[in-house]
């Protein structure tokens, strides 16, 4: 890894941590902060590869858990922030229906594990405990829809980085 790539990795990781910290300050940004943090690490994956992006995700997750005031926000990033590293592998699946099934399975499993942990161990979302199964299924469906939109945005950001922004930053 070159010094330029290392610097890019460090600067974008600190930007991702900043997005998590800002998301914990604004009450409605529980999901916006982790999404912006994921977007900040797309150039790391494009320039440095999946191993460096995985290390950046781990570092940002640890710092988010230690520094963010909103524990749910930090846990959302911990459970979903690794997806940009996995995304190129899923994109290689030839059938579109199979790719869609894998993406929804990844989102559903991560969401169920995350909120199972949050509700059982941490007790942070007491308002969900009294909700009916229909409401919880609706929330899971909305989470999958949001995740699929996030997937599309991450793909467009990676394409934008490869086509235009790389030339501006790496001349």
């Amino acid at each position: 890894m070159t010094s330029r790539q290392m610097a890019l990795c460090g600067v974008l990781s600190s930007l991702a941590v900043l997005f998590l910290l800002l998301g914990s300050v604004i009450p409605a940004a529980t999901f916006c902060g982790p999404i912006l943090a994921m977007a900040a690490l797309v150039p790391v994956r494009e320039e440095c590869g999946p191993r460096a992006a995985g290390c950046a995700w781990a570092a940002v997750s640890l710092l988010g858990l230690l520094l963010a005031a909103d524990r749910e926000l930090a846990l959302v990033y911990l459970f979903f922030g690794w997806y940009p590293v996995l995304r190129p592998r899923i994109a290689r699946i030839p059938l579109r229906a199979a790719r869609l099934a894998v993406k929804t399975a990844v989102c559903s499993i991560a969401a169920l594990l995350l909120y199972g942990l949050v509700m059982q161990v941490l007790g942070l979302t007491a308002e969900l405990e009294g909700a009916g199964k229909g409401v919880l299924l609706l929330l899971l469906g909305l989470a999958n829809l949001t995740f699929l939109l996030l997937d599309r945005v991450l793909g467009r950001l990676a394409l934008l980085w490869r086509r235009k922004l790389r030339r501006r930053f790496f001349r």
Side-chain angles (χ1 to χ4, degrees):
M1 182 180 287
T2 65
S3 60
R4 179 175 268 179
Q5 289 175 330
M6 185 68 80
L8 177 74
C9 198
V11 167
L12 290 177
S13 294
S14 64
L15 180 64
V17 171
L18 177 69
F19 285 141
L20 291 178
L21 294 177
L22 286 176
S24 66
V25 171
I26 302 168
T30 300
F31 300 105
C32 296
I35 288 172
L36 290 172
M38 282 188 255
L41 293 182
V42 167
V44 173
R45 186 197 69 224
E46 292 297 317
E47 291 299 319
C48 306
R51 180 172 286 166
C55 289
W57 163 76
V60 171
S61 294
L62 182 64
L63 287 170
L65 287 169
L66 291 174
L67 300 174
D70 186 357
R71 294 289 174 232
E72 186 178 3
L73 174 134
L75 288 170
V76 167
Y77 184 76
L78 178 68
F79 277 80
F80 287 99
W82 53 269
Y83 179 72
V85 178
L86 180 67
R87 190 183 180 287
R89 286 188 172 214
I90 293 175
R92 284 186 244 150
I93 297 173
L95 296 173
R96 185 175 185 201
R99 277 194 312 267
L100 184 64
V102 169
K103 289 174 187 177
T104 56
V106 165
C107 176
S108 297
I109 290 169
L112 291 172
L113 287 174
L114 168 65
Y115 284 100
L117 174 76
V118 167
M119 288 172 70
Q120 297 300 321
V121 177
L122 301 177
L124 291 178
T125 55
E127 64 270 3
L128 288 179
E129 289 180 6
K133 289 184 181 183
V135 172
L136 293 177
L137 286 175
L138 176 68
L139 288 174
L140 185 62
L142 289 173
N144 277 300
L145 179 65
T146 305
F147 187 77
L148 292 174
L149 290 172
L150 169 67
D151 176 67
R152 183 169 223 134
V153 167
L154 290 175
R156 298 265 169 103
L157 283 173
L159 186 65
L160 180 67
W161 178 261
R162 284 191 298 267
R163 287 189 179 169
K164 294 183 180 181
L165 296 177
R166 177 186 284 165
R167 281 181 256 147
R168 287 189 183 159
F169 290 107
F170 292 106
R171 289 184 183 201

